[in-house]
Amino acid sequence: MDKIINKLKKITNNNTDIIYRKKKINNNQIYIIYSESLTSSTDISNNIIRSLDLIEKRYKNNLNLYNIIKNDITNSKVTEINNANDIAYYINNGFTIILVENKYLAFETRRNLSRNISNPMTETTLRSSTDSFVEDIQTNTGLIKRRIKSTNLWKIDTTLGTESKTNISIFYMNNITNKKLVKEIKTRIEQINIDSILSIGTLKNLIENETKSVFPTISTTERPDRACNALLEGKIVIVIDTSSFVLILPTFFNDNFKSMDDNYGKSLNITLTRIIRYIAFFITILTPAIYIALTTFNQDILQTEILINIAAQRNQVPLPTFFEALIMMLSFEILRESDLRIPGVSNSALSIVGALIIGDAAVSAGIVSPIMIIIISITAITSLLFTEPEFIYAIRWYRLIFMISAAISGLIGITFVFIYLIINLCNLTSFNLPYLMPYIPTYINGLKNSIIKFPTKKIMKRDIFLTKNINRSDSQ
Amino acid sequence: MKKIIIVILTIFLLTGNNDYQELNDLSIVTALAIDYKDNNYLISFQIQNPNNNNKYIIYDSYANTIDKAFNNVLTKSPNKLYYKHLEILYISQTIAKNHMDNIIKYFTENNITRNEFNILINKTNNISTLINEPAINIRNLIKTNTNNIGISQNLKFNDLLNDYLNPYKELTIPSIEIDIDTNNEIKLSTIAIFKNNKLIDYLSEEENIGLNIINNKLATTTLKNNCNNNNYYVTKIHSIKTNLNPDLTNNTINININGKYEINKLNCKNNITELQINDNLKSIITKTINTFKNYNVDTINIQNLYYKKEPNYFKRNYKYWYQHYQNTKTNININLTKDEKKEALGGLYE
């Protein structure tokens, strides 16, 4: 017994965090070992120590103390440890170890180290539910199971990271999700060999094979309802401990234009909203490029009155239009980036400075023209319609490429890059499924919930690319 | 990567689109006035002033050829002149009489403009007043006029070019004049008729309306008709649709005009029948056609209609058109109906 204690002390470098408590029960020496920072001291005193005292009083002639302790301690989760090398792992997971008769028992006495469930911070909606995932895998599992009570909600548990030993759960619907997809993801996760997975982003980058394109093929969400929605469509959700975001895969182009709010509105209203989102996508990606093309190459396309107005505004600006646009785009992106980093208290100061610099002073100083402010504002506002950051970054890339092509050869350049964008999107797959689904390949049932949304009663089929069990009405 | 390189290469090599020009380096020309004096072409340029939307910079330039005159302006202008937004081209009567070919050739061959600008004949030869008037105003003036009164014609360069290239068509170009009676205001004037691309004369306002009705280019117009003892009544005609049916064997053209009218009697207490109104319009149309016959110019393009209907027959029998033109018969059929919807109930006298 002392040998084990010494070994433990050696591998943990005699960590003062770990408490070794000696206790005698009717002349039998036992050890209670736990990590002070990971365990709840009330649980240990109330459940373990008190139970041990009761055992001492009740069993005077204890024949088999190991079995008595195993059965009589009033703790919900008990695990027998067969290998002495696992002790350290259990201690680091918040278990309390009892050493008795050279055998080991682990009792879960984990302290609650995560925060309470709070509102979503990044994916706000008007009327959808307002709970969000937290940093605890158990709570997150609970949030999913609370919504899907079916026994068909299966999960695969595993740990990743040789040092961090992060718990990972892969959720899927047994009767809906394509087994090939589950197998594919399982193998991709099994192939990972890394010291630590500290965030969901690391895992995302490790399992994402489609690295050539800037568009996201896996999306992250902090909304349990969105995760459950994805599960019921036949997608897979990966939850990891210590991350308040979960992964949804595969993700398609069309998913970026959907919101959980869409379930609340009438189908006609939602259709209009979706059309506006698609228009906003093209506006945000094309507006600066089209402005550059129209003012430097294709002036003849504009109406005379508009051209005269633009010419009057640009008259005082010394910079070429492309650089003017580039400078304004850059200053907006810097402003946005700094807005994300700085603490909330200085937010208003920043927005005042930003609005003054971008909006007013630059115009009066003659560095940019007022119409450029309008162009950049429209571009910036429309890009904020999308919640997935990866998608916004992708838009940013293409916006820049479009701007450069417009500066090189006007509208023809824009046309060429647009063709390239379409080719790129058609070529892209997310976990071997076409990214532009349901547009290409066209699938009627999928189109019912794409740029147009049919009434919910009429969307009774799932996507045939994701699952073979396509009937929503009777999915047993 | 290969794909990207191919895309970039195609942009550079295949499109030939590399005329980069910043707006700051351009002067937008909105109107041109061309005149011919003492063996020189005289061109006035109306250029948009970038510092003030309502003021214009005017340059004058002259030389013995049009090309030289266009180039000479660069000795005065600091920026490159940009003609794609030309709205109005004023040509003088001298040009219209003798140099139309040169003007049309210059604008088609050099391709410096869009084909969507209006052409007007400067009837009173007062270039300085015209060139100082905003070209966009004049453009809108023509548009409103053709839609509502019909004493002018919304003639774009493209239409002129089509007429010019068609051997069976005669040119018509609207004109503009300075109204000396009313403090030198600019006023749209009537259409000028051409024969063999040379200006002959201008139509009267009534003939102008008649021509526009025959060409199916008039939406609404107002006609003044005599009643009795200096009194008159006014008919407003709208939704006019004209059908021209040529009959080659009899050298006859059937003109069918359908439309609606509203009537404003004012002091006229006579009972005015539909027949009277139809006859009134018929007399206008007949008068117009007779005017063209007097000038011996086929402005309503009967030969073009004949040719379109039966080209071979036309070529065989009407080879020398103007020998047959005077014998052309017209059969005018007018069917104007009262627009009940717009009639005020009863009116003052009922």
Side-chain angles (χ1 to χ4, degrees):
Chain A
M1 207 178 268
D2 287 333
K3 207 173 137 193
I4 291 162
I5 301 289
N6 285 336
K7 196 184 164 191
L8 253 180
K9 279 186 177 169
K10 201 180 165 191
I11 61 169
T12 57
N13 195 17
N14 206 1
N15 196 337
T16 49
D17 196 35
I18 296 172
I19 311 289
Y20 302 90
R21 185 173 163 180
K22 273 186 198 171
K23 195 168 166 64
K24 273 197 173 173
I25 299 175
N26 302 336
N27 297 325
N28 288 331
Q29 176 82 16
I30 66 163
Y31 273 98
I32 304 167
I33 312 165
Y34 59 92
S35 170
E36 204 179 3
S37 54
L38 294 173
T39 50
S40 141
S41 53
T42 34
D43 275 4
I44 294 176
S45 349
N46 287 350
N47 297 349
I48 295 173
I49 313 282
R50 192 172 286 176
S51 303
L52 286 173
D53 288 344
L54 282 173
I55 287 167
E56 194 178 7
K57 281 174 195 161
R58 199 181 298 165
Y59 302 98
K60 295 289 178 201
N61 304 314
N62 37 32
L63 299 167
N64 191 345
L65 191 61
Y66 176 78
N67 278 345
I68 291 166
I69 290 176
K70 191 180 153 193
N71 289 330
D72 278 27
I73 283 189
T74 58
N75 202 38
S76 62
K77 195 171 176 184
V78 187
T79 318
E80 287 177 77
I81 305 174
N82 299 321
N83 190 348
N85 294 331
D86 284 350
I87 294 177
Y89 171 75
Y90 277 95
I91 290 173
N92 285 335
N93 261 313
F95 281 73
T96 301
I97 310 287
I98 293 181
L99 256 67
V100 49
E101 297 167 356
N102 283 335
K103 288 177 184 165
Y104 337 104
L105 280 171
F107 299 90
E108 193 192 335
T109 51
R110 204 172 282 169
R111 184 198 285 200
N112 187 10
L113 285 174
S114 74
R115 62 193 166 92
N116 292 330
I117 296 170
S118 58
N119 290 356
M121 301 297 286
T122 56
E123 294 165 79
T124 47
T125 54
L126 272 179
R127 283 168 298 182
S128 208
S129 62
T130 52
D131 53 348
S132 75
F133 287 123
V134 292
E135 283 78 6
D136 181 32
I137 193 166
Q138 304 290 350
T139 319
N140 292 352
T141 308
L143 284 171
I144 291 176
K145 284 199 167 169
R146 199 176 147 200
R147 286 179 168 81
I148 305 173
K149 295 178 181 97
S150 159
T151 47
N152 283 319
L153 176 65
W154 285 18
K155 72 167 179 167
I156 302 169
D157 287 333
T158 153
T159 51
L160 267 185
T162 47
E163 302 297 332
S164 67
K165 305 231 185 280
T166 314
N167 291 330
I168 290 173
S169 298
I170 305 164
F171 284 87
Y172 63 96
M173 296 300 292
N174 182 39
N175 56 344
I176 299 170
T177 313
N178 196 342
K179 292 291 170 321
K180 258 190 191 167
L181 189 65
V182 180
K183 210 176 155 190
E184 164 87 26
I185 283 154
K186 220 177 138 188
T187 34
R188 282 196 197 183
I189 286 179
E190 275 164 4
Q191 279 166 2
I192 295 170
N193 185 10
I194 199 170
D195 61 338
S196 65
I197 303 258
L198 292 179
S199 70
I200 198 96
T202 321
L203 182 69
K204 176 171 172 269
N205 289 332
L206 286 171
I207 60 174
E208 195 172 26
N209 269 2
E210 292 81 2
T211 45
K212 275 186 187 169
S213 175
V214 286
F215 285 98
T217 52
I218 297 178
S219 62
T220 54
T221 183
E222 57 169 350
R223 302 187 62 90
D225 50 354
R226 210 182 135 200
C228 293
N229 206 36
L231 278 174
L232 291 169
E233 276 174 19
K235 293 181 182 176
I236 289 175
V237 169
I238 299 179
V239 184
I240 78 166
D241 205 10
T242 71
S243 176
S244 60
F245 285 84
V246 303
L247 295 184
I248 297 175
L249 42 98
T251 293
F252 306 111
F253 184 71
N254 190 30
D255 292 343
N256 295 300
F257 298 89
K258 291 180 182 171
S259 152
M260 284 318 287
D261 259 342
D262 295 357
N263 297 336
Y264 289 78
K266 290 193 168 186
S267 63
L268 283 175
N269 299 344
I270 300 305
T271 303
L272 187 61
T273 318
R274 293 249 173 101
I275 290 170
I276 289 169
R277 283 185 199 140
Y278 269 92
I279 292 172
F281 171 74
F282 289 112
I283 287 177
T284 192
I285 218 166
L286 288 173
T287 318
I290 288 178
Y291 175 74
I292 291 170
L294 289 186
T295 51
T296 57
F297 280 93
N298 309 81
Q299 291 97 341
D300 45 335
I301 288 176
L302 286 170
Q303 237 188 319
T304 310
E305 288 93 330
I306 298 174
L307 187 78
I308 289 168
N309 273 339
I310 296 174
Q313 291 181 21
R314 264 203 61 78
N315 187 37
Q316 305 295 332
V317 181
L319 291 169
T321 317
F322 174 67
F323 287 104
E324 192 191 352
L326 205 65
I327 287 170
M328 290 314 289
M329 237 25 263
L330 192 71
S331 53
F332 168 71
E333 291 298 341
I334 290 171
L335 204 69
R336 207 172 82 90
E337 197 64 25
S338 59
D339 200 27
L340 292 174
R341 303 279 166 263
I342 58 160
V345 271
S346 19
N347 253 346
S348 58
L350 186 79
S351 50
I352 290 166
V353 170
L356 282 179
I357 289 174
I358 291 185
D360 200 35
V363 175
S364 0
I367 297 168
V368 289
S369 55
I371 191 132
M372 183 56 80
I373 303 289
I374 299 172
I375 300 288
I376 297 301
S377 319
I378 291 172
T379 313
I381 291 167
T382 42
S383 77
L384 297 175
L385 239 79
F386 306 101
T387 50
E388 176 63 46
E390 286 288 302
F391 195 65
I392 298 175
Y393 298 151
I395 286 173
R396 201 161 69 180
W397 259 118
Y398 269 98
R399 191 188 295 143
L400 187 67
I401 296 170
F402 272 116
M403 277 162 71
I404 292 169
S405 68
I408 293 172
S409 62
L411 284 180
I412 287 172
I414 294 178
T415 317
F416 271 89
V417 178
F418 198 81
I419 293 168
Y420 177 74
L421 167 71
I422 301 285
I423 291 172
N424 195 338
L425 282 173
C426 290
N427 208 12
L428 195 60
T429 55
S430 173
F431 294 86
N432 302 329
L433 291 169
Y435 192 59
L436 277 188
M437 196 199 84
Y439 306 115
I440 303 162
T442 313
Y443 175 58
I444 300 294
N445 279 319
L447 285 176
K448 284 180 182 173
N449 190 9
S450 57
I451 190 164
I452 40 169
K453 188 176 184 287
F454 276 56
T456 316
K457 272 183 196 168
K458 295 202 173 156
I459 318 174
M460 294 312 275
K461 295 244 166 77
R462 298 193 182 93
D463 273 324
I464 201 157
F465 295 98
L466 279 168
T467 170
K468 292 195 173 68
N469 178 4
I470 59 165
N471 274 329
R472 284 183 71 192
S473 46
D474 189 19
S475 62
Q476 196 52 54
Chain B
M1 203 57 214
K2 262 184 209 162
K3 266 182 261 167
I4 299 172
I5 292 168
I6 289 169
V7 166
I8 292 171
L9 278 182
T10 36
I11 292 174
F12 280 116
L13 300 178
L14 294 180
T15 60
N17 187 343
N18 43 17
D19 44 350
Y20 175 87
Q21 43 195 9
E22 282 287 340
L23 268 182
N24 305 25
D25 307 331
L26 298 177
S27 286
I28 302 165
V29 180
T30 43
L32 287 172
I34 306 181
D35 196 3
Y36 192 80
K37 256 183 206 164
D38 311 330
N39 289 334
N40 273 330
Y41 284 97
L42 215 152
I43 308 178
S44 300
F45 300 79
Q46 183 193 77
I47 288 160
Q48 195 71 39
N49 188 345
N51 296 320
N52 188 342
N53 268 356
N54 300 317
K55 287 272 162 59
Y56 297 94
I57 304 167
I58 312 287
Y59 293 126
D60 292 323
S61 149
Y62 64 93
N64 51 6
T65 65
I66 304 177
D67 284 74
K68 262 191 185 170
F70 269 101
N71 283 335
N72 279 352
V73 74
L74 293 175
T75 54
K76 296 177 179 176
S77 163
N79 287 339
K80 192 184 163 192
L81 294 193
Y82 189 67
Y83 298 99
K84 295 263 161 151
H85 280 271
L86 181 69
E87 292 286 352
I88 310 279
L89 170 67
Y90 303 107
I91 50 177
S92 69
Q93 299 202 60
T94 336
I95 296 271
K97 272 175 190 155
N98 301 314
H99 306 282
M100 273 315 284
D101 297 322
N102 287 344
I103 298 288
I104 292 176
K105 267 180 198 159
Y106 180 80
F107 280 102
T108 33
E109 282 170 11
N110 283 288
N111 197 21
I112 51 169
T113 57
R114 296 196 276 202
N115 287 347
E116 290 297 307
F117 56 90
N118 283 83
I119 301 154
L120 289 171
I121 293 180
N122 182 2
K123 204 168 169 184
T124 39
N125 255 341
N126 193 339
I127 290 176
S128 60
T129 321
L130 283 176
I131 207 77
N132 275 305
E133 185 72 18
I136 292 165
N137 288 3
I138 305 285
R139 184 196 68 191
N140 293 342
L141 175 70
I142 298 169
K143 226 178 182 174
T144 324
N145 177 291
T146 36
N147 284 340
N148 297 313
I149 311 170
I151 61 153
S152 186
Q153 184 190 0
N154 192 359
L155 183 90
K156 304 280 184 188
F157 184 70
N158 224 1
D159 310 327
L160 182 75
L161 201 60
N162 281 340
D163 294 353
Y164 180 78
L165 292 175
N166 191 336
Y168 305 117
K169 273 188 170 180
E170 297 291 350
L171 298 184
T172 50
I173 299 180
S175 64
I176 194 160
E177 62 184 342
I178 312 288
D179 202 341
I180 303 161
D181 304 337
T182 60
N183 204 9
N184 282 353
E185 279 171 359
I186 291 171
K187 170 185 158 194
L188 273 185
S189 188
T190 50
I191 292 173
I193 50 173
F194 283 69
K195 190 175 181 185
N196 296 328
N197 304 328
K198 286 187 167 57
L199 175 73
I200 307 175
D201 205 349
Y202 300 91
L203 296 178
S204 73
E205 288 194 6
E206 213 169 43
E207 290 158 353
N208 214 317
I209 291 171
L211 178 64
N212 277 334
I213 288 176
I214 294 169
N215 284 339
N216 212 352
K217 278 180 180 162
L218 191 57
T220 320
T221 190
T222 315
L223 297 177
K224 186 179 146 187
N225 307 289
N226 283 326
C227 182
N228 53 1
N229 316 329
N230 296 331
N231 285 334
Y232 58 92
Y233 65 92
V234 174
T235 42
K236 195 182 172 192
I237 310 175
H238 61 91
S239 323
I240 306 164
K241 275 191 186 121
T242 313
N243 245 330
L244 297 174
N245 279 326
D247 181 359
L248 271 78
T249 43
N250 298 325
N251 196 4
T252 311
I253 184 146
N254 299 311
I255 303 176
N256 295 317
I257 300 171
N258 292 313
K260 286 181 174 172
Y261 70 89
E262 294 161 46
I263 189 158
N264 192 348
K265 283 187 192 168
L266 299 171
N267 295 325
C268 180
K269 285 174 186 170
N270 287 6
N271 206 6
I272 293 149
T273 57
E274 216 163 80
L275 195 69
Q276 264 175 296
I277 291 164
N278 282 350
D279 281 350
N280 219 322
L281 186 61
K282 193 173 176 175
S283 72
I284 291 172
I285 305 280
T286 322
K287 199 178 149 198
T288 314
I289 291 168
N290 286 337
T291 314
F292 296 141
K293 276 192 178 166
N294 289 341
Y295 284 118
N296 198 19
V297 52
D298 183 15
T299 305
I300 50 173
N301 301 319
I302 299 172
Q303 54 170 335
N304 189 40
L305 288 168
Y306 280 12
Y307 175 71
K308 269 189 179 169
K309 181 139 190 192
E310 281 174 54
N312 292 332
Y313 188 90
F314 176 80
K315 275 182 186 167
R316 233 179 300 131
N317 295 305
Y318 299 101
K319 199 176 177 189
Y320 302 102
W321 169 246
Y322 279 104
Q323 292 174 2
H324 302 276
Y325 177 56
Q326 292 294 343
N327 303 327
T328 314
K329 290 184 273 298
T330 43
N331 184 10
I332 303 163
N333 214 336
I334 293 178
N335 184 20
L336 293 177
T337 49
K338 201 171 185 181
D339 189 0
E340 304 282 352
K341 282 180 205 163
K342 292 190 176 172
E343 195 84 338
L345 276 176
L348 274 179
Y349 296 110
E350 287 179 48

